[in-house]
Amino acid sequence: MDGMKPAMESSAEENQDEREESKGCLDCCIKCLGGVPYASLVATILCFSGVALFCGCGHVALTGTVKMLENHFSHISSDHATLIDVVQVLQYIIYGIGSFFFLYGIILLAEGFYTTSAVKEMHSEFKTTVCGRCISAMFVFLTYILGLAWLGIFGFSAVPVFLFYNMWTTCVAMKSPIANLTSVDNICVDVRQYGVIPWNAEPGKACGQTLADICNTSEFYLSYHLYIVACAGAGATVIALLIYMMATTYNYAVLKFKSHGHAHTTKF
């Protein structure tokens, strides 16, 4: 009996140590999760998704639009040479937008992590500097400017959706009973009135069965829906930048709060 008592005590101590170790791991996990900047994380995921949809779908939709115009509305290459140059410039801009926002999203997410209370606990008491506050203020200003720019991009991306929607509704109208009472050859779509191609381009417009055949092509169907998705991606990016603006503004307030020597630290 005397020999079993030390063994039982040793086993009880080991169990207690295991429970304390398990509790310590749980506290550590809770502390790490509590230090995650969820707003910045959600904004980063939304920004990456929106930019990817806008860039990918917009690039393919522009290519399909040029192909459709070449096949059905402008048979002479010199008539739409300017349009091809503009489309190529827009595609290069899309490449730049995708690359820039990939890096910018990561930077803003990193800033969100480094302004949380978890960072303070892991790295002890860190002091904010004037340089750090200036960098945070720069992110606030830059995010605000980018938000305004993306509002413009969102409005611009809605233009091709509107043009394709008008063309699609015209094709639907041709199939209606009212349209069958008249000659469908009188129902036309003239893309020259939108300024896409010059007025001397031939044929420049499509009427009747020709228009119906264009609406049934894969170029029209795919480009139309890709423009819709690209517009939705631009809208998602605008929302992400609004969240970023709130996050960066709050982060700047946190740095100003610490610079005045307050002990309490919050996060965003």
Side-chain angles (χ1 to χ4, degrees):
M1 295 293 293
D2 293 339
M4 295 177 60
K5 187 174 181 180
M8 293 176 62
E9 292 178 353
S10 176
S11 177
E13 291 177 356
E14 291 177 358
N15 292 334
Q16 185 178 358
D17 292 339
E18 290 177 358
R19 286 195 297 269
E20 290 179 355
E21 183 178 356
S22 177
K23 184 178 179 180
C25 292
L26 180 61
D27 292 340
C28 182
C29 292
I30 294 175
K31 186 181 297 182
C32 291
L33 291 175
V36 175
Y38 292 102
S40 297
L41 183 61
V42 171
T44 301
I45 296 174
L46 190 61
C47 182
F48 284 173
S49 301
V51 171
L53 289 175
F54 174 79
C55 293
C57 296
H59 185 279
V60 179
L62 288 172
T63 303
T65 301
V66 171
K67 185 177 180 181
M68 185 182 70
L69 290 173
E70 289 176 342
N71 294 337
H72 304 287
F73 294 99
S74 180
H75 296 158
I76 302 176
S77 59
S78 59
D79 291 339
H80 56 268
T82 303
L83 176 64
I84 293 177
D85 294 337
V86 172
V87 168
Q88 289 179 346
V89 170
L90 291 176
Q91 289 177 336
Y92 283 124
I93 292 175
I94 285 174
Y95 298 148
I97 290 174
S99 302
F100 172 79
F101 272 90
F102 177 77
L103 295 175
Y104 190 70
I106 293 177
I107 292 173
L108 287 182
L109 181 62
E111 191 211 10
F113 272 104
Y114 276 91
T115 51
T116 58
S117 58
V119 174
K120 179 180 178 180
E121 293 175 3
M122 287 189 299
H123 298 280
S124 185
E125 292 286 341
F126 64 93
K127 296 181 179 179
T128 59
T129 61
V130 176
C131 180
R133 294 193 296 273
C134 289
I135 292 175
S136 183
M138 180 193 69
F139 280 128
V140 174
F141 176 76
L142 184 58
T143 305
Y144 179 79
I145 296 299
L146 291 174
L148 293 178
W150 269 99
L151 278 176
I153 293 175
F154 176 66
F156 177 78
S157 63
V159 173
V161 176
F162 173 74
L163 300 181
F164 272 79
Y165 175 76
N166 283 342
M167 189 172 177
W168 176 77
T169 52
T170 304
C171 292
V172 171
M174 293 173 57
K175 301 177 183 178
S176 65
I178 299 176
N180 291 334
L181 297 176
T182 60
S183 177
V184 294
D185 293 333
N186 295 328
I187 301 177
C188 302
V189 169
D190 192 342
V191 298
R192 294 173 297 187
Q193 64 181 337
Y194 300 121
V196 178
I197 54 178
W199 281 104
N200 60 352
E202 293 294 336
K205 65 179 181 178
C207 302
Q209 188 58 42
T210 303
L211 177 60
D213 293 339
I214 293 174
C215 292
N216 292 329
T217 59
S218 59
E219 291 88 1
F220 175 82
Y221 184 82
L222 182 62
S223 297
Y224 178 38
H225 289 85
L226 286 177
Y227 277 126
I228 294 175
V229 176
C231 185
T237 306
V238 171
I239 296 174
L241 288 173
L242 289 175
I243 299 174
Y244 271 140
M245 278 192 280
M246 292 185 291
T248 52
T249 303
Y250 197 93
N251 291 342
Y252 178 73
V254 168
L255 293 177
K256 289 285 290 183
F257 187 74
K258 290 179 180 178
S259 66
H260 288 86
H262 290 280
H264 180 67
T265 306
T266 55
K267 69 178 180 65
F268 199 91

